[in-house]
Amino acid sequence: MVKRVVISLGLLVALALELRAQESFAKKSPSVTLLPAPTAQLTRGKVNNVQLTFSVEPGFHINSNQPSAEYLIPTTLKLDPPTDLMVGKITYPPGEDRSFAFSPTDKLNVYSGRFTVLVRVRPLASVLAGEYEFHGSLRYQACDNAACFPPKNLAVRFAVKVVKPRPPRKKNPAQSPHAGN
Amino acid sequence: MKRDPLVIVAVAVTIALMLVVGLRSVRHQQNSASAPLKGALAPDFTLSSLDGSTVHLSDYRGKAVLLNFWATWCPPCKIEMPWFVELQKQYGSAGLQILGVAMDDASPEEIARFAKEMGINYPVLLGKETVGDAYGGVEFLPYSLYIDRNGKVLDVAYGLKGRGEIEDDVKKILASSATVQAQK
């Protein structure tokens, strides 16, 4: 009898999971999010790297920054930095070459799961130390195994803290072997 | 306290049934909401085609129309295109008219270049958001509607379908009898 109860409950869970899986295809809309991270510290007057990690919802993929075909829309980050904080090169990770059920012979270069974009930022030497906020957007175009969604712009916002450079270490004056003679 | 196993089984089965009925009902509501056009008259539209002509859907009344929303950035849409080319060749004389609607930000020149590369042998229309809205918002692509000879939507297909499934739907709309003569 206990066996029957266990089987019944097992069937119940399996059924619920199966129906949930069927649900998910038609209605789910893909989402990409910027994962929270500790405030990056940037040294005034120097080139610093800021890491932004994004997460693509499971079951979806987005084109990498270097998609494998001309017509595909690349993932791109655009930033509007605060005055006196200069944005340099934005480095995107290489995508993963994957083939999908809709075209098993072709490979698309995509991001799925988490990916990290590296942004070079140089606060001018004259900028005041303190917290600053960057605004921008990540443009991406997502697909799942059977359909593609129109390109979207994810609003991106993150804070940085500009700090003064460490004062240079004072060198000890050279000691003369004859000092004190 | 000793529980009667029969009661436990009965409770488990009841919960299972409630879950099944509940989820099926939600799914049915979602499908109905996402396919409000099935069984209805396809909304008429006026769109420009790549060759510069103005096209109304109603011009094709009397023909079986496969209306396919696509975009250049949509890899699954590209998979279907060679099938549509074949189907247009195979069933064009029987009254099939495939119409592609490009829901794209790309320029008409780029869309035309893409269509040429894909060897598209049916009209490609330049989509508008208003037309997309009339057809349920076109939240993702490819999205195809199978419209019978009287302008009624017999079926809708969200996402990529197999070639066989597409051909079966084409046969269904071809089998419909027209009460109005084709104008094109």
Side-chain angles (χ1 to χ4, degrees):
Chain A
M1 193 56 78
V2 173
K3 202 174 164 187
R4 267 196 232 166
V5 174
V6 171
I7 290 170
S8 303
L9 288 172
L11 282 173
L12 170 76
V13 171
L15 198 65
L17 289 175
E18 196 271 336
L19 284 170
R20 178 127 187 86
Q22 285 185 28
E23 287 290 304
S24 60
F25 168 74
K27 298 309 286 176
K28 239 183 176 183
S29 179
S31 74
V32 175
T33 48
L34 172 63
L35 297 180
T39 305
Q41 290 217 347
L42 310 182
T43 307
R44 198 162 68 178
K46 301 213 164 163
V47 175
N48 303 260
N49 285 325
V50 177
Q51 287 193 351
L52 300 174
T53 300
F54 297 90
S55 170
V56 182
E57 195 175 343
F60 295 96
H61 59 269
I62 64 175
N63 295 316
S64 74
N65 179 250
Q66 303 285 329
S68 43
E70 184 196 351
Y71 293 106
L72 301 178
I73 294 172
T75 295
T76 48
L77 177 68
K78 280 193 180 161
L79 290 174
D80 183 16
T83 316
D84 297 339
L85 270 72
M86 305 292 128
V87 169
K89 192 180 175 194
I90 297 179
T91 309
Y92 299 88
E96 188 190 349
D97 279 329
R98 284 178 60 189
S99 52
F100 295 91
F102 54 75
S103 183
T105 51
D106 292 332
K107 292 218 166 169
L108 298 178
N109 195 257
V110 299
Y111 299 140
S112 55
R114 290 182 178 189
F115 67 97
T116 299
V117 176
L118 212 65
V119 183
R120 280 195 170 179
V121 181
R122 189 174 69 86
L124 295 183
S126 56
V127 74
L128 291 175
E131 279 219 1
Y132 292 84
E133 197 167 68
F134 280 70
H135 293 263
S137 65
L138 183 84
R139 184 170 161 79
Y140 66 91
Q141 190 271 305
C143 296
D144 65 13
N145 281 331
C148 289
F149 297 78
K152 275 191 178 178
N153 287 305
L154 168 73
V156 170
R157 217 172 79 175
F158 62 93
V160 296
K161 188 175 181 188
V162 175
V163 295
K164 291 176 190 172
R166 283 186 187 169
R169 277 189 190 170
K170 282 183 185 166
K171 285 181 185 171
N172 290 331
Q175 298 284 316
S176 161
H178 308 291
N181 286 347
Chain B
M1 195 177 102
K2 200 177 173 185
R3 291 195 177 111
D4 187 346
L6 272 175
V7 174
I8 297 174
V9 172
V11 169
V13 170
T14 310
I15 293 173
L17 281 172
M18 283 165 66
L19 205 67
V20 170
V21 171
L23 282 175
R24 281 196 187 279
S25 149
V26 168
R27 203 170 61 200
H28 177 71
Q29 281 171 16
Q30 284 180 343
N31 285 343
S32 309
S34 62
L37 291 169
K38 201 169 166 179
L41 269 182
D44 197 12
F45 57 70
T46 305
L47 289 173
S48 299
S49 75
L50 281 178
D51 64 12
S53 59
T54 301
V55 172
H56 308 272
L57 178 66
S58 51
D59 295 343
Y60 295 94
R61 197 60 67 83
K63 290 208 169 207
V65 175
L66 194 175
L67 185 65
N68 171 242
F69 290 88
W70 64 277
T72 52
W73 43 258
C74 165
C77 303
K78 268 180 86 174
I79 303 299
E80 290 183 329
M81 284 175 176
W83 302 338
F84 291 154
V85 169
E86 283 171 19
L87 291 167
Q88 184 60 59
K89 270 187 206 159
Q90 194 177 344
Y91 296 105
S93 56
L96 174 69
Q97 184 58 64
I98 298 177
L99 296 174
V101 181
M103 300 299 284
D104 228 296
D105 289 337
S107 67
E109 292 74 25
E110 280 175 285
I111 296 169
R113 190 158 59 91
F114 182 90
K116 195 177 171 191
E117 278 173 26
M118 295 302 298
I120 292 179
N121 58 353
Y122 48 86
V124 172
L125 315 178
L126 302 171
K128 284 183 192 163
E129 214 174 306
T130 48
V131 173
D133 289 344
Y135 278 83
V138 191
E139 284 173 25
F140 53 90
L141 300 170
Y143 169 44
S144 295
L145 295 101
Y146 295 85
I147 303 168
D148 74 9
R149 295 175 192 268
N150 299 308
K152 197 169 121 183
V153 179
L154 282 197
D155 210 348
V156 291
Y158 297 97
L160 178 68
K161 301 288 171 200
R163 193 196 184 284
E165 217 175 320
I166 293 172
E167 190 165 0
D168 287 347
D169 278 332
V170 162
K171 284 177 182 168
K172 273 186 219 163
I173 51 173
L174 282 170
S176 63
S177 54
T179 52
V180 182
Q181 280 299 304
Q183 293 169 25
K184 281 217 172 185

